[in-house]
């Protein structure tokens, strides 16, 4: 009996020791990194071919895609006679079997600010020229896994290459049947979807450690970017890292008809044109854009931000509430008493408006930043710029901040019923650190909107 008991104790100790040595350990980050050199890459891709990004798009992305048939339809906004047989939405599936199909690129995006939600953009330099491609990945905080500056090697077999709003991207097919979406009947159908995270992890390898210093920016001008609205040419430009110098904000945004209009001073949670970077879209979700001009005030382009970004409700540079000086109201129907102090204001299309003031103001006259509201709710009005009255309420001083902007170049067009326009171009910033602006030598400091 003692022998049996002793044997049992020894066996039990052995089992416990064995189990304690079989801990479930998480792989160390260092163990997942491969060397960023030609020999290692050749070994990792020995079963296939490595394509540069432009050649990859040329080889596997067709105009119509291979996902279109009588039973598999793209969303109705995909193509129209207005764009001459081009497809804004398309998909080509990439063979799952056969030789490996590889691409490489360095991550250029950072979603910490909220502007690149579930999206990566990668950059590759080929013959000193920049190439870029978007990647749609179904992962929140994707930059935590794939940080900015990280070189990735991606095996694309079994995935898809497609266009969403004319922007090429590595993706998987996704069918949209959201009947509650804005203009849902135009959006039902197949379109590029996000790659499931486990699938993307399996397809991806880290090469070296993140190094943002290796990212390359092309210095461009607004005139150079916006001179063309060719849909096919735009696909090779979309996603590139660029820097534009000698720019300033104008305080404007695009109206629904794509014309320029001054931003307003409303609450950004309810006012779509508020003078912040990205006010509400009414839950539609498109990137909000604010206009920058070149030094000559001749050419403009939009800088875009998501309404869900951390800095969405910060004022655009130079913008504030409209009430920086004295505030007055004008009622065209009111009976004025000319025996009391007043001043005349030549408002646009309203000359010699009589504005009741106090005696001090009558003596002082109109001063910079004085405001005259023409509605009781302060939704319409004018601001004095030192010489005349302007509709630039809350954005009068935007153009005084000049400098540079850097970010991801974007050409976004999601409705084929319209002709391509230069206004589809935009620069998408990671966060406000991508703006380097100064007024009289003093750097612009971001200011967040607060309700009165």
């Amino acid at each position: 009996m003692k022998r049996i008991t002793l044997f049992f104790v020894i066996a039990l100790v052995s089992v416990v020791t064995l189990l304690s040595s079989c801990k479930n350990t998480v792989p160390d980050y260092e163990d997942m990194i491969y060397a960023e050199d030609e020999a290692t890459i050749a070994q990792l891709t020995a079963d296939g071919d490595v394509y540069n990004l432009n050649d990859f798009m040329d080889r596997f992305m067709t105009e119509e895609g291979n996902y279109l048939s009588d039973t598999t339809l793209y969303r109705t906004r995909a193509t129209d006679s207005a764009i001459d047989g081009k497809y804004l939405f398309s998909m080509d599936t990439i063979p799952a079997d056969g030789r490996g199909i590889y691409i490489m690129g360095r991550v250029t995006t950072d979603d910490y600010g909220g502007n690149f939600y579930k999206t990566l953009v990668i950059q590759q330099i080929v013959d000193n020229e920049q190439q870029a491609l978007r990647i749609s990945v179904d992962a929140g905080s994707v930059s935590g896994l794939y940080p900015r500056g990280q070189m990735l090697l991606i095996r694309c077999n079994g995935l898809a290459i497609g266009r969403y709003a004319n922007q090429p991207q590595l993706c998987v097919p996704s069918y949209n049947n959201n009947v509650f979406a804005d203009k849902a009947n135009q959006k039902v159908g197949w379109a590029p979807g996000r790659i499931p995270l486990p699938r993307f992890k399996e397809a991806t390898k880290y090469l070296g450690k993140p190094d943002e210093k290796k990212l390359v920016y092309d210095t461009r001008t607004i005139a150079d970017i916006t001179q063309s609205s060719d849909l096919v040419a735009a696909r090779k430009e979309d996603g590139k890292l660029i820097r534009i110098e000698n720019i300033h904000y104008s305080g404007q945004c695009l109206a629904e008809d794509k014309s320029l209009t001054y931003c307003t001073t409303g609450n950004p949670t309810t006012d779509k044109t508020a003078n912040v970077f990205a006010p509400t879209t009414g839950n539609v979700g498109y990137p909000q854009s604010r206009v920058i001009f070149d030094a000559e005030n001749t050419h403009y382009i939009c800088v875009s931000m998501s309404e869900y970004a951390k800095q969405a409700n910060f004022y655009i540079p130079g913008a504030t509430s409209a009430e920086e000086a004295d505030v007055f109201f004008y009622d065209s129907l009111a009976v004025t008493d000319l025996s009391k102090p007043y001043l005349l204001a030549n408002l646009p299309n309203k000359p010699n408006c009589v504005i009741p003031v106090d005696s001090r103001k009558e003596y002082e006259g109109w001063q910079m930043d004085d405001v005259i509201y023409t509605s009781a709710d302060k939704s319409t009005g004018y601001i004095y710029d030192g010489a005349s009255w302007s509709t630039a309420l809350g954005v009068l001083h935007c153009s005084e901040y000049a400098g540079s902007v850097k970010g991801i170049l974007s050409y976004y067009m999601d409705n084929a019923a319209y002709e391509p326009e230069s206004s589809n171009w935009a620069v998408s910033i990671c966060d406000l650190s991508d703006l380097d602006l100064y007024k009289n030598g003093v750097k612009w400091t971001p200011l967040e909107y607060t309700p009165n």
Side-chain angles (χ1 to χ4, degrees):
M1 179 67 71
K2 290 182 179 180
R3 288 182 179 178
I4 296 174
T5 304
L6 181 61
F7 175 78
F8 177 77
V9 171
I10 294 173
L12 181 61
V13 170
S14 299
V15 170
V16 170
T17 303
L18 179 63
L19 290 175
S20 64
S21 67
C22 296
K23 292 181 179 179
N24 185 17
T25 57
V26 178
D28 186 35
Y29 171 69
E30 300 286 341
D31 297 333
M32 302 189 317
I33 299 175
Y34 292 86
E36 189 182 336
D37 59 51
E38 291 184 7
T40 303
I41 295 169
Q43 183 179 7
L44 293 173
T45 60
D47 68 327
D49 304 296
V50 182
Y51 294 82
N52 68 46
L53 298 180
N54 283 351
D55 287 347
F56 173 71
M57 286 187 277
D58 290 341
R59 170 66 178 82
F60 295 100
M61 185 177 72
T62 63
E63 187 60 48
E64 189 175 280
N66 65 9
Y67 224 74
L68 184 63
S69 70
D70 292 338
T71 56
T72 55
L73 300 177
Y74 299 141
R75 56 177 57 188
T76 58
R77 286 183 168 189
T79 191
D80 191 273
S81 58
I83 58 173
D84 192 27
K86 304 295 188 299
Y87 281 79
L88 302 180
F89 296 85
S90 73
M91 277 182 304
D92 283 275
T93 53
I94 300 170
D97 301 322
R99 291 181 61 80
I101 300 166
Y102 293 93
I103 58 173
M104 294 170 49
R106 197 175 299 280
V107 178
T108 61
T109 45
D110 181 350
D111 72 349
Y112 179 75
N115 279 323
F116 295 94
Y117 179 66
K118 296 188 175 183
T119 298
L120 297 171
V121 180
I122 58 173
Q123 177 189 81
Q124 186 178 33
I125 306 301
V126 180
D127 296 331
N128 295 319
E129 296 288 335
Q130 184 181 169
Q131 300 180 10
L133 180 65
R134 296 175 187 267
I135 305 174
S136 186
V137 183
D138 195 10
S141 301
V142 70
S143 292
L145 293 170
Y146 305 101
R148 201 163 191 261
Q150 177 66 59
M151 178 67 83
L152 300 179
L153 175 67
I154 306 169
R155 195 176 197 274
C156 300
N157 296 67
L159 300 176
I161 177 75
R163 292 185 298 277
Y164 190 103
N166 202 55
Q167 297 178 326
Q169 49 203 272
L170 192 66
C171 59
V172 293
S174 176
Y175 189 82
N176 178 35
N177 60 354
N178 181 7
V179 296
F180 300 106
D182 180 61
K183 300 178 182 176
N185 64 319
Q186 300 178 21
K187 298 178 180 178
V188 172
W190 289 96
R194 298 183 180 116
I195 304 168
L197 181 58
R199 192 171 175 184
F200 189 66
K201 281 184 174 180
E202 184 180 3
T204 306
K205 288 182 171 57
Y206 298 99
L207 299 179
K209 292 185 178 180
D211 189 349
E212 290 190 42
K213 294 179 180 178
K214 291 184 177 179
L215 296 176
V216 176
Y217 287 82
D218 292 340
T219 299
R220 304 282 293 274
T221 66
I222 298 176
D224 164 49
I225 295 169
T226 59
Q227 68 178 340
S228 171
S229 55
D230 181 270
L231 290 173
V232 176
R235 296 166 188 166
K236 293 289 178 68
E237 296 298 306
D238 180 79
K240 288 184 176 181
L241 273 181
I242 65 164
R243 178 184 288 104
I244 309 176
E245 299 175 345
N246 300 318
I247 58 93
H248 60 268
Y249 277 82
S250 66
Q252 295 167 300
C253 57
L254 298 181
E256 291 203 3
D257 64 357
K258 296 295 186 75
S259 63
L260 296 183
T261 183
Y262 279 121
C263 296
T264 57
T265 56
N267 187 325
T269 63
T270 56
D271 184 355
K272 296 180 181 181
T273 58
N275 57 350
V276 298
F277 284 96
T280 181
T281 62
N283 294 320
V284 178
Y286 55 84
Q288 283 279 40
S289 295
R290 296 297 178 258
V291 174
I292 58 172
F293 270 85
D294 56 19
E296 294 75 28
N297 274 317
T298 304
H299 303 95
Y300 71 87
I301 193 172
C302 289
V303 175
S304 65
M305 181 180 286
S306 166
E307 65 184 291
Y308 308 110
K310 290 178 174 62
Q311 296 155 325
N313 287 347
F314 278 70
Y315 284 112
I316 57 177
T320 58
S321 69
E323 301 179 9
E324 295 298 301
D326 293 329
V327 176
F328 305 89
F329 289 86
Y330 172 67
D331 182 356
S332 61
L333 301 179
V335 177
T336 56
D337 184 352
L338 298 183
S339 66
K340 296 181 178 180
Y342 70 90
L343 284 172
L344 294 178
N346 289 312
L347 304 180
N349 302 317
K350 297 178 182 178
N352 296 318
C353 295
V354 178
I355 312 297
V357 298
D358 57 32
S359 56
R360 175 196 63 83
K361 191 65 182 178
E362 185 180 48
Y363 171 77
E364 180 184 69
W366 297 120
Q367 300 294 309
M368 173 75 83
D369 296 328
D370 282 345
V371 169
I372 296 176
Y373 287 114
T374 54
S375 62
D377 64 358
K378 300 183 180 181
S379 61
T380 57
Y382 303 89
I383 187 167
Y384 193 65
D385 66 8
S388 60
W389 294 91
S390 166
T391 57
L393 285 171
V395 295
L396 180 66
H397 300 286
C398 285
S399 61
E400 297 170 10
Y401 287 86
S404 66
V405 60
K406 62 182 182 180
I408 303 289
L409 184 59
S410 166
Y411 187 88
Y412 186 92
M413 180 175 173
D414 71 343
N415 194 333
Y418 300 103
E419 295 283 349
E421 297 181 78
S422 60
S423 58
N424 293 331
W425 289 105
V427 181
S428 299
I429 60 177
C430 283
D431 56 42
L432 299 187
S433 65
D434 283 340
L435 294 169
D436 191 28
L437 303 171
Y438 296 82
K439 177 181 178 179
N440 299 325
V442 178
K443 187 172 176 119
W444 168 68
T445 301
L447 175 68
E448 191 168 11
Y449 168 88
T450 54
N452 292 330

